[in-house]
Amino acid sequence: MRLGLSVWEPYNGLNLFSESFHKLIEDTAKTLSRFEVEDRGTGGWAPRVDICETNDSYIVSADLPGIKKEDIEINLKDNTLTVTGEKKYEAKSDKDNYVRVERKYGKFLRRVSLSENVDKGKIKATYKDGVLEIKIPKREEVATKPVKVEVN
């Protein structure tokens, strides 16, 4: 008489999940590869950004609530846009009564790698109601209408 024993492999289903998860990460990375966004290096916090592409420019919007315009610095070097600054802590006399503190304070850093087709000399920034908007025009030869190519 032979017993019908089989080996139980409890983690067998995780391989399929792992492969699907890695594919999702790779697909997302390919989608975002045109703009490399980095927020490491200060040990502080990093503002969230949106990047929008129009026919003639890229627009980077960053949420910087409670920060003064004078405390924000924007630089462009080697096709990397860097936004740095500091949100200063507001000391309150009744701080011992806080039950929860979630707002971030301190220095921040955000880097965005730009494509080669930007016009570096025409970048403009505005700051209103806690939102920093940086408009980065494309070079004119790139910002033209698409050309239809006939296939023979």
Side-chain angles (χ1 to χ4, degrees), residues 4-130:
L5 296 177
S6 64
V7 178
W8 181 52
E9 296 182 34
Y11 301 108
N12 197 21
L14 287 178
N15 288 337
L16 180 60
F17 172 76
S18 177
E19 289 171 12
S20 298
F21 182 74
H22 286 293
K23 181 167 176 23
L24 173 69
I25 297 298
E26 287 174 6
D27 290 347
T28 303
K30 287 177 187 174
T31 303
L32 298 175
S33 66
R34 200 168 1 156
F35 298 101
E36 179 185 334
V37 178
E38 180 183 333
D39 58 6
R40 293 168 276 157
T42 62
W45 62 284
R48 298 288 151 224
V49 298
D50 294 335
I51 303 171
C52 175
E53 180 178 6
T54 65
N55 287 335
D56 60 350
S57 64
Y58 300 102
I59 300 169
V60 178
S61 300
D63 289 337
L64 300 172
I67 299 175
K68 295 178 183 173
K69 182 170 78 169
E70 301 81 35
D71 294 332
I72 301 170
E73 186 174 321
I74 304 167
N75 292 302
L76 178 67
K77 181 179 179 185
D78 299 328
N79 286 341
T80 300
L81 179 74
T82 304
V83 179
T84 58
E86 183 174 5
K87 183 174 182 182
K88 297 182 177 151
Y89 180 75
E90 299 172 13
K92 305 213 186 316
S93 60
D94 59 350
K95 68 180 179 181
D96 295 331
N97 295 332
Y98 280 101
V99 175
R100 186 178 187 105
V101 177
E102 292 185 351
R103 294 185 291 167
K104 305 270 186 180
Y105 295 95
K107 294 183 179 187
F108 66 87
L109 167 83
R110 199 63 198 251
R111 289 188 182 119
V112 177
S113 294
L114 303 172
S115 61
E116 297 285 333
N117 68 338
V118 299
D119 191 345
K120 298 174 186 174
K122 296 183 179 178
I123 297 175
K124 302 233 186 269
T126 58
Y127 184 63
K128 182 179 179 185
D129 298 331

